[in-house]
DNA sequence: CGTCCTTCGCGAAACGATTCGATGATTGAC
DNA sequence: GTCAATCATCGAATCGTTTCGCGAAGGACG
């Protein structure tokens, strides 16, 4: 309608014939206002289509109703799901979501990103890409990690049941008669990498299978890691018959490598993965995975940060979300027919 | 460090022994300041680690250095790529990115989302999910559409060469000897749906192939549409031998349906798609697609909005980005061996 | 030596809201 | 009828900046 100036509280006050402070009081409703005055003001507000300028409000009140979210990138749809959950909750609570990608770089310092926009945010939700978080907790604003936690950082996190997930996955291979099982995991500085490897180890030792150092590959949680490690594993003189891929990207890398090597998944090689994704869900052959509720993880994180903003004294808590095994056709049953 | 109050310009002024306005001037460097004074101030700024409060700045200057981005959702990695490009440019220009998902709903009114945060943004970049854009251009802030344009809305847009893409795709099928070619496209209200269908039609008529109404399916650009339409097409008494899927999701739906029907892509049925995605790029069999530079589209849009913020008088312009054909193995060559 | 002009720095107003203490009107009790 | 208490409303200060107008100092010139 009007391209020019925006309606201010002053305009409303003038139109309603009351003081500025009175208009403010009918909005924030702390103090009592007589019914007639309130009616006059509300009429003016409606006619003028007034809504308070949030910048001005935040100067006084100190809060901006904005949460900053830091993710490694936006292209991985796993991160996308988390953002989706966060944004949903925030929107319903009249908060805004500011996003920032930190990139893959191992040196990216999270606290630098936060400092940059420090004065316009009330809190931070981050998916850290490394353990380099600077003096994040001294910033004085609530921070929550999602998907990955940083051990000993004292920062609350919402994660998947990492160890439980790879345990299930590995057990599934063992149940089908596999003994030579490899794992491809990520950075050991992050809990995801550590815990997912740990679940694999537990499953092995529970079943009395000895670990083989050659079968353990660690890198970063990227497709490249999966691709390279898979090829290396297959070139071993005594290659594994089953592979546990510790995230969606690694799994995709494995599939790509298998394709190039002419290995049929579910027949020549068995593959299971952490996190569900399109490639795994299409029955060709369809890959057995454990899947967490990624959107729900985002929702939880958002609710946690909101709670911390409202009540400053909430202490750290780690939320671990259950994962579910989705059986598909990527495991060859070695009990039926002997290994090739 | 200090949990309590933040450092203000006042603290800097006091420490440097100058007036507040002087500090401001060394920051904004419009007016001249003597070298010694400047040095004193800069020292104080460094020691105190001062940075101006952007809320206060924006109260005066009127701009917030924040762009709002509206997307249907965050899970589709196509949208993710666009966001990635936008965010990259914005970050490098010291702008912030606020995101909001509008959902799939056909009634979602874009201008309502914008109004909600109107006073904290300088401009809007949107991927509209329908043609219901309200009185968006009367808002008085620059708006750019990405991926999809709305015909006759008078709003600038960055899109892929839609017609050109499906033209290439369809031609590729024709070149391999296909004559019975179906297309699955999206909403005809949006230019994507229209133009992609148009490219298919042009390719057909250029090659003297008559259109068959049964072979044209329109829905929404979702997996469900691809899945259903593909199944319907295959149940026709005279089914097509080739299918053009007009976006990544539709293509995924087709692959899923083909799998369920036991049809092998590249053998029993030929499939080509608009937009690249993981499923298409894995050689199993690998799907021929046309791919736009999605991240680049986001970058362009961001640069356009920045330009419009700085120079208010830029008039509308439609940017169409070229697409590239990526040949893989999803087309059966009918010239070599007769159709089964 | 006085005047004028330039340069540098200061103080105050303004942006749009919240909030607290003050004011004036109304009411109730004695 | 007087005084105190209550209630609705108002005005002013405040948040942290930018920006404009003005004054002081100092150099150039007649």
């Amino acid at each position: 309608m009007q391209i020019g100036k925006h309606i201010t509280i002053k305009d409303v006050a003038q139109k309603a014939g009351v003081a500025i402070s009175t208009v403010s009081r009918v909005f924030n409703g702390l103090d009592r206002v007589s019914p007639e005055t309130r009616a006059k003001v509300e009429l003016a507000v409606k006619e003028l289509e007034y809504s308070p300028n949030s910048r001005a409000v935040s100067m006084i009140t100190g809060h901006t109703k904005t949460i900053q979210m830091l993710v490694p990138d936006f292209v991985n749809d796993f991160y996308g799901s988390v953002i989706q959950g966060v944004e949903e909750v925030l929107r319903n609570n009249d908060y805004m979501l500011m996003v920032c990608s930190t990139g893959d770089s191992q040196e990216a310092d999270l606290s630098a990103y936060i400092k940059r926009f420090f004065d316009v945010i009330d809190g931070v939700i981050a998916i850290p890409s490394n353990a380099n978080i600077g003096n994040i907790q001294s910033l004085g604003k609530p921070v929550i990690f999602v998907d990955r936690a940083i051990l000993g950082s004292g920062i609350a996190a919402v994660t998947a049941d990492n160890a439980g997930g790879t345990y299930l996955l590995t057990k599934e291979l063992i149940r089908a008669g596999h003994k030579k099982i490899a794992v491809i995991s990520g950075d050991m500085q992050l809990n995801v990498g550590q815990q997912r490897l740990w679940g694999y180890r537990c499953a092995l030792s529970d079943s009395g299978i000895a670990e083989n150092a050659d079968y353990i590959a660690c890198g970063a949680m990227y497709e490249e890691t999966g691709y390279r490690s898979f090829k290396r594993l297959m070139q071993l003189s005594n290659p594994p018959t089953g592979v546990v891929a510790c995230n969606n990207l690694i799994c995709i890398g494995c599939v790509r490598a298998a394709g190039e090597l002419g290995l049929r998944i579910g027949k020549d090689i068995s593959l299971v993965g952490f996190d569900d994704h399109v490639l795994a869900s299409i029955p060709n052959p369809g890959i057995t995975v454990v899947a967490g509720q990624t959107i729900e993880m985002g929702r939880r994180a958002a609710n946690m940060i909101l709670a911390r903003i409202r009540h400053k004294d909430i202490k750290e808590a780690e939320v671990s979300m259950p994962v579910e095994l989705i059986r598909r056709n990527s495991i060859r049953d070695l009990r039926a027919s002997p290994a090739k």
Side-chain angles (χ1 to χ4, degrees), chain A:
Chain A
M1 207 187 290
Q2 65 302 323
I3 303 285
K5 291 173 60 69
H6 215 56
I7 304 294
T8 74
I9 198 172
K10 211 170 157 183
D11 302 317
V12 177
Q14 197 167 350
K15 177 141 196 159
V18 298
I20 288 178
S21 51
T22 304
V23 178
S24 174
R25 281 190 352 273
V26 352
F27 255 80
N28 302 307
L30 303 167
D31 229 330
R32 268 177 301 181
V33 180
S34 79
E36 313 113 52
T37 311
R38 154 159 279 131
K40 274 194 298 183
V41 172
E42 282 173 348
L43 182 67
V45 165
K46 190 166 288 177
E47 287 185 358
L48 261 25
E49 293 190 15
Y50 165 78
S51 78
N53 181 310
S54 25
R55 284 173 292 166
V57 171
S58 78
M59 281 220 53
I60 303 280
T61 61
H63 55 70
T64 62
K65 294 223 161 196
T66 303
I67 301 294
Q68 181 183 30
M69 183 154 187
L70 266 16
V71 297
D73 67 77
F74 299 104
V75 183
N76 187 334
D77 58 5
F78 176 84
Y79 302 144
S81 308
V82 177
I83 299 177
Q84 184 78 21
V86 169
E87 197 265 346
E88 175 193 313
V89 170
L90 256 30
R91 183 155 33 82
N92 291 338
N93 282 273
D94 261 307
Y95 267 69
M96 298 179 274
L97 177 61
M98 232 190 67
V99 294
C100 220
S101 72
T102 58
D104 306 344
S105 76
Q106 294 295 316
E107 322 91 58
D109 177 6
L110 272 194
S111 68
Y113 285 91
I114 299 176
K115 269 187 196 143
R116 194 153 170 186
F117 304 119
F118 190 76
D119 50 6
V120 289
I121 58 171
D122 288 347
V124 179
I125 296 176
I127 302 182
S129 49
N130 59 47
N132 184 9
I133 54 166
N135 54 345
I136 225 175
Q137 55 272 71
S138 68
L139 258 27
K141 299 206 173 169
V143 178
I144 302 273
F145 285 148
V146 195
D147 184 38
R148 310 166 183 178
I150 292 179
L151 286 356
S153 67
I155 290 176
V158 179
T159 62
D161 178 4
N162 293 310
T166 43
Y167 184 88
L168 281 177
L169 250 19
T170 311
K171 271 289 189 187
E172 193 72 5
L173 284 169
I174 294 171
R175 202 169 297 128
H178 290 263
K179 290 198 157 48
K180 297 190 292 179
I181 302 173
V183 65
I184 308 177
S185 187
D187 189 345
M188 283 303 120
Q189 277 205 284
L190 295 170
N191 74 327
V192 236
Q194 278 197 357
Q195 294 174 350
R196 293 187 185 180
L197 181 60
W198 177 247
Y200 158 87
R201 284 188 158 143
C202 288
L204 248 47
S205 80
D206 274 12
S207 308
I209 300 177
E211 271 182 36
N212 178 342
D214 285 344
Y215 289 171
I216 297 179
C218 290
M221 295 282 195
Y222 298 122
E223 188 177 330
E224 189 64 14
T225 305
Y227 180 84
R228 292 231 183 110
S229 303
F230 188 90
K231 285 205 163 176
R232 189 185 62 68
L233 287 167
M234 291 309 127
Q235 279 154 4
L236 252 30
S237 58
N238 182 24
T241 59
V243 175
V244 180
C246 284
N247 89 334
N248 57 350
L249 263 25
I250 288 177
C251 185
I252 290 170
C254 290
V255 173
R256 195 183 299 279
E260 289 186 14
L261 294 172
L263 295 174
R264 292 162 304 168
I265 289 164
K267 293 183 176 162
D268 306 318
I269 181 74
S270 296
L271 175 68
V272 294
F274 208 110
D275 295 331
D276 202 8
H277 49 103
V278 184
L279 192 56
S281 71
I282 297 279
N284 185 23
I287 299 169
T288 294
V289 297
V290 289
Q293 305 138 282
T294 52
I295 296 187
E296 183 62 24
M297 277 174 58
R299 290 196 196 109
R300 285 283 180 97
N303 281 319
M304 280 170 75
I305 205 96
L306 254 24
R308 266 148 229 256
I309 288 169
R310 306 207 237 255
H311 316 285
K312 293 219 171 270
D313 51 350
I314 299 179
K315 42 179 239 165
E316 319 316 329
E318 187 104 11
V319 174
S320 173
M321 308 270 296
V323 295
E324 192 193 354
L325 184 70
I326 302 177
R327 290 201 175 84
R328 293 200 266 244
N329 308 308
S330 62
I331 301 181
R332 172 169 177 182
D333 195 335
L334 296 183
R335 294 163 308 177
S337 56
K340 91 169 184 166

